Amino acid sequence: MGEILRGIGAVSGIGIAKAMVLSNDLTGHLAKYNAGTPDIESGKIEEAIKAASAELAHLKKAAKEAGQESQADIMDAHYAMVNDPGLIANMHGKIEQETAAPQAALAAAEEFASLFDSMPDPYLKERAADVRDVGRRLARLLLGTGHIDYGAEPIVLCAEEIEPSVAASMPEGQVFGIILGQGSITSHTVIIAKARGIPVVAGLGNALSSITDGTTLIVDGSAGQVLVEPTAEQVAEYQRKADAEAVERRLDSELAALAAVTLDGSKIQLAANVGSPSDMPMAVRQGAEGVGLFRSEFLFLGREVPPSEEEQFTAYKAVVEQCGRHLCVIRTMDIGGDKPLHYLNIQKEENPFLGWRAIRISLERPDLFITQLKAILRAGSFGKVAIMLPMIISATEITAARKCVEQAAAELAREGKTFASNVPVGIMVETPAAAVMAQQLAVECDFFSIGTNDLVQYTLAVDRGNPAVSSLYSHFHPAVLKLIENVIKAGHEYGIWVGMCGEMAGDPLAAPLLSAMGIDELSMSAPSIPRVKGVIRKLKNGQAREMLNQALIMKDAKAIRSLMAEYISRQ
């Protein structure tokens, strides 16, 4: 029996093939590069930008022709990054300081990527990989190292990290699995792999170094493990599992057009979390009923000045229109000390996640807040829109924000612009203070959306990004479950709907507990929708309530997770 490596199951499924190890190390090539004068290097950068743009346009076209809309959208986003005026100016500025073109591309991309790296939101944090990908694409073109020879046999790609553009150019039908030293479930590489049905195990760390080219591997994305040099019996066993999962995936795809309704008639709306208009096509294909979280932060990052009302209006309108008859919930700017934006002039903070951020900035910077609210209200005239306020800890913040909404509407009326009136205003319940005070806050709100990522982190006093304590982070912790149930009860008591937009919303194991609590809406990454919907459609709320009652008297998050895994397996 071969060795078993354990990591994070990023994309479920079984893949069996021989390893192909990729390296991101450009050190040797950079050392051999002969730089010219700044003018020559600037000219090379411009040529590399043109070549990269052509490559990305080709990848986008090929993806669209293959029906891979999510991959096409990602390549479109990379195309925009390659041609971003700020990034280009940064590269030329470094060349003027006598930096060689490849190093300038890498350094400029790294500076932009660092903006995303420091963010608490895992979705936004992962966008750093996309910016670095753009820098490495340009560097490879400048160094002449861009081509990858995949050979002709089935393979499992192995790397510390695989850039999204490399994933997009993988030969169709040849890559049976991907294993990563780093990476997470929200990276664009994982999204591309998921769209193609390629199982992924990430977070293997140093264990990856034991794998060499040609090693036979079984990638089990469901269990988050990799079998190295498996026996013939193990190969046969996993092939049977792979065949069964293929049948299950076909059933999942058939769920897109169906509602998430339990066997006893309780409906839960399943919406999507998005960060830009380009995320919407996949959300629609996966059966999303609107947007439960539009992360507006993207519009504010990587720039010297804040986005104008018109820029924001255009982005919001594009998403609202694609929601059709469904609601689009737009979270106001969740930016702060952990995101060093030049136009905010925020002083360095000891703990920026607990500092001047989100609603605290919005209320102190009405020039930014009113502009954003005006753009949202205008977009509301093209569909259904709601405003969600982040990091709320008191009713006075909600009252102050509502006054700003009134001011934005009054300004639009004076300017003669069309806008939606009576737009719902709710809050993201992500602080323990908001969860504990849910009854008092419900009076001021039109809805709640529970942001479990920060709620879990703050409740358990666990930094999920710290490897030393991240194992303690779990949305199945009894304290977290009790807070969530309290929020849902309070919302319903005061006649408002309650949703959830954190990672817990997309966890199939959590769906029975949330359904039993009476959750009205779950918003998640688009690829998670079919599996969660499949679980909900098999539920009986009476049985789910029994599971919830059992979970609430348990003392351990792992035990609760095991309980739910066993329950789901019996469905």
Side-chain angles (χ1 to χ4, degrees), residues 46 55 61 127 136 140 162 197 199 270 284 298 357 407 415 445-446 461 501 510 542:
E46 290 299 329
E55 285 181 351
K61 182 174 182 291
R127 300 294 73 80
R136 284 195 286 260
R140 285 199 176 101
I162 294 177
L270 300 189
V284 173
F298 277 127
R357 58 174 291 202
Q407 181 181 336
E415 294 164 5
C445 295
D446 297 311
C501 57

Side-chain angles (χ1 to χ4, degrees), residues 436-451:
V436 171
M437 295 181 61
Q439 284 188 316
Q440 294 94 319
L441 300 185
V443 179
E444 309 293 333
C445 295
D446 297 311
F447 66 91
F448 284 156
S449 185
I450 304 169

